[in-house]
Amino acid sequence: MTGEKYDVLKHFFGYSSFRGGQEELIDAQMEGRDVLGVMPTGGGKSLCYQIPAILMTGITLVVSPLISLMKDQVTALKAAGIPAAYINSSLSAGQINKVYQNLLEGRYKIVYIAPERLATEGFISVAQRLRISLLAVDEAHCISQWGQDFRPSYLRISEFVGKLRRRPVVSAFTATATERVRRDIERSLGLDRPLRIVTGFDRQNLRFEVIKPKKKDEALLALVSERAEKSGIIYCATRRDVESVCRMLRGAGLSATRYHAGLTEEERRNNQDDFIYDRCGIMVATNAFGMGIDKSNVSYVIHYSMPQSIESYYQEAGRAGRDGSDADCILLYSARDIRTAQFLIEHSGGSEKLTEDEQSKVTEQALKRLGEMVGYCETDRCLRGYILDYFGQKHPKTCGNCGNCDGSFSEKDITGEAGAVFECVRLVRERIGYSLGSAKIMKVLRGGRDRDILALGLDGLPVYGKLRGVSSDTLREILESLKTQGFLRVDPIHGALFLTDRAEDASRRHEKVTMRVRGKSAEPSSAAKRTQAGAETDEGLYAALRDLRYRAAKEEGIPAFMVFSNATLRDMAAKKPTTESEMLSVAGVGQNKMQRYGDRFVEEIKRYLSENED
Ligand code: ADP
Ligand code: ZN
């Protein structure tokens, strides 16, 4: 059997070794045991049930909620020579009957099916006449109201199993994090002493970073320009943002395309193809993009706003670096994102109708997950560690490959500011009987003359204007740090600030309070810089050329990449051209650019070479 499994892996899928967890999960199912496989998206869950499906006699049903994915999977299986089909609402009644007929004639090994279908008389009567060896439940978290994407129809899977002549092996797969959801899956599906495998969630080639830019568009443009020759995805929270970001990037001369549910199917397909076939370097999209897409050379994923949960974030960011090479996952965060996400959660209709009670539980859970996501954006601890904690995996304290680990941080004493903040929160509550959010507390501390501050008489407090000398950006950072350090608690719905016991203790004992601040030298230590380093590039010269590019761009009032791309500068720093014809041999230097910038860059190279002669 061991040999067979490897033969199938090689023959049908072209791989020669298994990834973590796959082999154990396959073996268990082959031995007739139920399994629960928890793997990150992209971890290779499909093979875990496809290989047993091929090896077992009888047929395998795969329950999946994702219509578009089913089609892709079936196409891929057929292409590999495995007879497969799918049954969902995209087929006509006639087509469905044809599939039923083929099923009864034993023409398929694997059939993907939408959960609703399991409750229909037609399918049940067909299924009762089949020999079903395995029932694999994909995206199994859909069974739980505590999970993402709750689907009431998943709750009826075990009822369906009960109607079969013989109980098949039941296997469940998910990328979900919480223990509660995992328990729900086992219970609701009635898994029988399942083998539970939780595989590693860590993707070491991904570098994580959270940036809080003053202006997101500018920051994004700079990040994308730095990676001009690379392929990347930019995720936005709304269709409107997709449109405006895409327009902005195109306006800057970048090759961007877009994807969201508001476009026609044809346009979505065309745009997706442009991206996949590298006709377009940048995909700007909502979270509608990416399911079932396996483009391996995506070298960065930038989130223009914060997603709604760590699960979504990790799934989307995880589309970078699938080929194992270094890639960047950057999140552009502003406090405003929280409100957008809350709005989207409160106004989202799921794919199936929920009762009022179910809906309120689902919303409550979604807001909790959002809280964890905000924590990621605000933490000053290792970002990778934060994610792995969330998924319940042990990890070292620092990873050396995230924005919070490889930056050079220093401790700043903020005892005085923190004391003023604590006093302000306390006094405001005493004066007006309730708590205010960060924005108002900041106004009081900085002596703002807003009407509502004056109307509440807060200008009479002794802390009013006490931190007038602190800029609002700095004060905001201080407040965020006090939150993440556990001195302040935020009401997740109203945003009101409260003091924690820890803050009371610190005030009483006059403890020193500090905050980590990032040193300037740390920027930017991104994968873009690391992987572009060609073997012969002279790093000193490259830095000098970048400086010159920066000055030239500034003089003309254009972005730096419009002068020369990074790749061009790299090539230049390797070839070190000192004549016009040598300069023209650099990739990305055409006649036009030669005329405009050639001489200045040649001069700079000559200067550098003469200063650095051994
Ligand atoms: P998931 O369903 O967990 O999101 P997939 O099953 O779609 O992940 O697998 C992600 C990618 O990894 C696919 O391209 C798949 O072909 C590939 N893959 C899966 N198992 C292996 C393996 N053992 N070796 C190499 N590639 C694999
Ligand atoms: Zn780290």
Side-chain angles (χ1 to χ4, degrees):
M1 192 178 87
T2 336
E4 276 184 316
K5 171 178 76 191
Y6 278 95
D7 289 346
V8 169
L9 180 68
K10 185 80 206 153
H11 180 263
F12 290 105
F13 301 97
Y15 304 131
S16 32
S17 60
F18 284 105
R19 288 198 185 146
Q22 286 179 329
E23 196 165 4
E24 294 92 323
L25 288 163
I26 291 170
D27 287 345
Q29 293 167 88
M30 295 294 298
E31 285 158 14
R33 185 168 173 195
D34 290 353
V35 305
L36 171 63
V38 183
M39 289 183 180
T41 309
K45 289 184 275 294
S46 330
L47 280 194
C48 296
Y49 54 80
Q50 288 170 346
I51 290 185
I54 294 166
L55 287 170
M56 285 169 155
T57 49
I59 93 148
T60 291
L61 292 182
V62 182
V63 182
S64 165
L66 304 164
I67 293 188
S68 58
L69 212 62
M70 278 189 203
K71 187 155 179 259
D72 293 345
Q73 295 262 22
V74 168
T75 311
L77 287 170
K78 282 195 197 156
I82 302 158
Y86 60 89
I87 305 172
N88 62 36
S89 57
S90 74
L91 300 185
S92 68
Q95 288 170 315
I96 289 178
N97 278 329
K98 183 76 194 151
V99 175
Y100 286 173
Q101 203 182 322
N102 287 341
L103 258 173
L104 292 168
E105 287 168 16
R107 289 181 194 268
Y108 303 125
K109 278 313 285 181
I110 304 184
V111 173
Y112 282 75
I113 186 152
E116 310 81 68
R117 193 67 49 181
L118 298 178
T120 62
E121 283 305 320
F123 183 71
I124 292 170
S125 77
V126 172
Q128 283 170 337
R129 284 183 276 162
L130 299 174
R131 168 144 187 216
I132 299 170
S133 342
L134 173 64
L135 182 102
V137 182
D138 207 1
E139 313 289 346
H141 54 271
C142 292
I143 209 165
S144 171
Q145 328 184 4
W146 312 109
Q148 286 181 297
D149 292 321
F150 171 50
R151 296 273 198 139
S153 56
Y154 261 63
L155 290 169
R156 306 189 61 179
I157 296 175
S158 70
E159 204 178 304
F160 168 79
V161 172
K163 289 185 180 144
L164 298 174
R165 267 186 316 179
R166 234 183 80 207
R167 183 184 185 278
V169 174
V170 181
S171 54
F173 299 90
T174 178
T176 212
T178 58
E179 199 46 50
R180 185 172 200 172
V181 174
R182 291 175 194 169
R183 276 203 310 270
D184 257 8
I185 293 173
E186 293 190 16
R187 199 177 35 81
S188 305
L189 282 178
L191 297 188
D192 180 17
R193 281 165 291 124
L195 173 73
R196 299 182 189 94
I197 298 266
V198 181
T199 68
F201 273 69
D202 192 10
R203 300 263 311 274
Q204 295 193 351
N205 61 319
L206 300 185
R207 179 181 184 279
F208 294 94
E209 183 165 13
V210 176
I211 303 177
K212 298 170 194 167
K214 286 217 185 73
K215 294 192 175 143
K216 284 192 178 180
D217 282 353
E218 273 174 25
L220 179 66
L221 196 54
L223 290 167
V224 172
S225 307
E226 248 185 62
R227 296 166 173 77
E229 342 57 49
K230 302 197 158 188
S231 188
I233 306 174
I234 296 159
Y235 278 109
C236 300
T238 62
R239 292 178 196 179
R240 222 182 51 207
D241 280 352
V242 169
E243 291 294 334
S244 74
V245 166
C246 187
R247 210 173 315 124
M248 190 257 308
L249 295 176
R250 283 181 184 164
L254 293 162
S255 142
T257 185
R258 69 203 203 286
Y259 190 105
H260 58 68
L263 304 175
T264 63
E265 199 185 327
E266 189 188 352
E267 182 166 12
R268 281 200 304 252
R269 190 164 355 100
N270 289 340
N271 294 353
Q272 177 173 316
D273 284 352
D274 283 346
F275 178 64
I276 289 177
Y277 299 110
D278 290 320
R279 294 191 289 264
C280 234
I282 306 164
M283 171 57 86
V284 188
T286 59
N287 60 7
F289 176 76
M291 276 293 174
I293 286 172
D294 193 11
K295 179 172 160 64
S296 66
N297 66 338
V298 175
S299 71
Y300 62 89
V301 171
I302 298 176
H303 278 73
Y304 186 72
S305 349
M306 177 181 64
Q308 293 169 20
S309 69
I310 299 278
E311 275 103 342
S312 320
Y313 181 61
Y314 205 51
Q315 175 173 18
E316 288 156 18
R319 297 198 171 112
R322 294 282 278 258
D323 57 2
S325 59
D326 287 348
D328 287 316
C329 305
I330 302 170
L331 198 163
L332 304 182
Y333 170 66
S334 80
R336 269 233 316 272
D337 295 351
I338 303 176
R339 225 152 313 142
T340 311
Q342 277 170 352
F343 179 86
L344 292 173
I345 286 170
E346 277 151 12
H347 293 80
S348 78
S351 33
E352 286 181 28
K353 198 132 186 61
L354 303 185
T355 65
E356 215 167 285
D357 182 45
E358 285 169 342
Q359 186 60 57
S360 79
K361 270 187 201 152
V362 164
T363 306
E364 180 194 324
Q365 289 306 308
L367 289 173
K368 251 190 208 158
R369 277 192 289 270
L370 177 62
E372 304 264 9
M373 186 71 235
V374 175
Y376 175 82
C377 297
E378 293 186 347
T379 187
D380 58 7
R381 284 189 299 257
C382 174
L383 293 173
R384 182 185 314 279
Y386 188 98
I387 293 172
L388 293 177
D389 270 344
Y390 184 79
F391 287 107
Q393 195 179 322
K394 287 204 169 58
H395 57 85
K397 201 162 173 221
T398 56
C399 74
N401 191 23
C402 79
N404 286 356
C405 283
D406 58 12
S408 60
F409 281 96
S410 54
E411 297 281 319
K412 181 175 158 192
D413 187 336
I414 54 163
T415 312
E417 292 90 338
V421 171
F422 298 160
E423 203 185 341
C424 185
V425 172
R426 186 167 36 232
L427 291 178
V428 164
R429 197 173 157 80
E430 273 172 26
R431 170 71 53 103
I432 63 177
Y434 56 91
S435 297
L436 296 176
S438 309
K440 296 245 167 71
I441 293 291
M442 279 173 61
K443 281 189 185 143
V444 175
L445 284 166
R446 297 188 68 247
R449 307 212 47 86
D450 294 46
R451 205 186 301 164
D452 46 351
I453 301 276
L454 303 181
L456 292 170
L458 298 176
D459 54 336
L461 295 177
V463 284
Y464 179 77
K466 198 166 178 184
L467 298 183
R468 196 171 267 127
V470 179
S471 77
S472 59
D473 282 338
T474 306
L475 187 51
R476 191 172 299 120
E477 276 169 25
I478 290 174
L479 282 174
E480 278 174 12
S481 174
L482 293 175
K483 286 183 216 163
T484 43
Q485 293 188 66
F487 291 112
L488 297 176
R489 187 170 59 74
V490 190
D491 180 300
I493 309 225
H494 309 101
L497 288 181
F498 296 90
L499 295 183
T500 62
D501 292 347
R502 179 141 185 238
E504 311 274 9
D505 289 350
S507 313
R508 204 172 35 245
R509 298 191 202 127
H510 305 288
E511 278 172 21
K512 181 175 168 186
V513 181
T514 60
M515 162 174 125
R516 289 175 84 197
V517 287
R518 184 192 288 276
K520 287 260 179 294
S521 61
E523 297 265 355
S525 76
S526 57
K529 198 171 133 204
R530 279 180 288 121
T531 52
Q532 277 176 7
E536 349 59 323
T537 304
D538 182 323
E539 288 298 335
L541 176 55
Y542 180 61
L545 294 175
R546 279 177 77 112
D547 275 355
L548 174 58
R549 175 177 69 174
Y550 177 77
R551 277 177 272 130
K554 209 160 176 199
E555 280 164 26
E556 296 187 46
I558 57 174
F561 70 86
M562 287 195 182
V563 177
F564 286 126
S565 75
N566 285 352
T568 299
L569 285 196
R570 288 252 164 228
D571 201 31
M572 210 179 279
K575 291 186 176 140
K576 305 184 178 65
T578 52
T579 66
E580 183 173 330
S581 68
E582 282 172 11
M583 184 55 104
L584 281 168
S585 76
V586 171
V589 182
Q591 284 297 344
N592 200 5
K593 295 245 169 129
M594 178 65 219
Q595 254 165 34
R596 271 170 85 170
Y597 309 113
D599 290 347
R600 280 178 85 177
F601 279 79
V602 164
E603 284 313 310
E604 180 64 22
I605 292 166
K606 284 185 181 161
R607 188 193 59 75
Y608 179 86
L609 291 178
S610 71
E611 279 173 15
N612 290 278
E613 257 165 7
D614 320 309

